[in-house]
Amino acid sequence: MKATWKALEAQQAIQDLIAQDAPLEDTLAGICQMIEQQSTGALSSIMLCDTKTQTLSLAAGNLPTAFKECLQSIPIGPEVGSCGRAAYWQKLVVTEDIQQDTCWEGYRALASASGLRACWSYPVLSKGQHHLLGTFAIYYPFPGPPSPVEIEQIKRAVGLVALAVERRQDHRTLRENRQRYRSLFTHHPDVVFPSILTEPSPAPTRPPPLSVGITKMKSGAVTMPSS
């Protein structure tokens, strides 16, 4: 029960950072710290997707320095480590033993030197799962698969990462729109309000004829109907 309360408190602390618009780097680092405190011996990483280059780059994580340096511009593909595959297939990828996984060719020696033997990577998807935002991964110094509890922990972390990244993207989009509109107002007011400058004024509306109750008009006199 105590562990559950600690986990809830840690999750609430992350949600507070997101609500306060804390720097994304701080929020992602907090998510990694939260997971590592819940899983003894675990190290974690968060990689964000560059949609233009279709690559992943490390955004947060407590991995050995040498291993961190190789986690930049990792291609997204069906046979690229654990994170590259998770991003490509958009599903959980479990590498129980890095030394036995052929998809880790090119990274295996560095992983071994860094004391990393297992890696479980989960894709981070936008709300509604429309597009890829990045990946969240857990590394262990010994081989093995995740337990159901650990999978749920990963899913909670992934949800927080998605929330933080999307909020940052929403703020960036809003800021860019404001700057664009401000530029239009300043430099091209005729483009912003072309209709105001060019649309002709509407024709005046002709009032209805005053014929109610009038039956005859002669020589300037008006005869009203008898009651």
Side-chain angles (χ1 to χ4, degrees):
M1 181 64 71
K2 186 177 181 180
T4 301
W5 276 108
K6 284 187 175 181
L8 291 174
E9 288 177 352
Q11 184 170 330
Q12 182 61 55
I14 298 299
Q15 291 173 334
D16 290 343
L17 287 175
I18 296 173
Q20 295 164 7
D21 293 324
L24 181 62
E25 295 76 12
D26 294 347
T27 302
L28 299 184
I31 294 172
C32 289
Q33 183 179 7
M34 176 189 73
I35 287 295
E36 292 169 5
Q37 290 176 346
Q38 296 173 4
S39 304
T40 304
L43 296 176
S44 60
S45 72
I46 297 172
M47 304 186 76
L48 298 182
C49 174
D50 186 329
T51 56
K52 293 182 180 179
T53 61
Q54 285 297 292
T55 58
L56 298 168
S57 292
L58 185 69
N62 298 316
L63 298 168
T65 302
F67 194 75
K68 278 185 177 181
E69 293 175 354
C70 80
L71 297 183
Q72 300 298 331
S73 300
I74 300 296
I76 295 172
E79 298 181 354
V80 183
S82 299
C83 293
R85 281 183 288 169
Y88 182 84
W89 298 112
Q90 296 195 2
K91 65 180 182 179
L92 173 66
V93 170
V94 175
T95 299
E96 295 186 21
D97 191 345
I98 293 174
Q99 296 304 308
Q100 303 300 321
D101 191 334
T102 58
C103 292
W104 272 78
E105 188 70 32
Y107 305 96
R108 192 181 297 125
L110 186 55
S112 178
S114 301
L116 307 175
R117 287 297 302 274
C119 178
W120 318 325
S121 183
Y122 206 100
V124 180
L125 303 176
S126 64
K127 187 177 181 180
Q129 301 189 351
H130 295 304
H131 64 273
L132 179 73
L133 300 176
T135 60
F136 178 87
I138 289 185
Y139 297 81
Y140 273 95
F142 47 83
S147 68
V149 172
E150 288 168 325
I151 291 177
E152 289 303 314
Q153 290 174 345
I154 294 173
K155 287 181 178 180
R156 283 196 294 271
V158 165
L160 292 172
V161 174
L163 184 63
V165 172
E166 285 195 287
R167 187 175 179 89
R168 196 273 297 269
Q169 290 181 344
D170 290 343
H171 279 289
R172 177 183 295 173
T173 300
L174 181 61
R175 183 170 61 252
E176 291 174 350
N177 287 342
R178 284 175 175 171
Q179 291 174 348
R180 182 162 56 250
Y181 293 144
R182 187 179 298 114
S183 177
L184 285 173
F185 274 116
T186 303
H187 303 292
H188 304 286
D190 54 326
V191 176
V192 180
F193 293 121
S195 62
I196 293 179
L197 299 177
T198 61
E199 184 177 350
S201 301
T205 303
R206 177 174 296 179
L210 298 175
S211 60
V212 178
I214 300 178
T215 59
K216 189 177 181 182
M217 179 178 292
K218 280 187 181 180
S219 303
V222 176
T223 304
M224 302 299 293
S226 58
S227 55

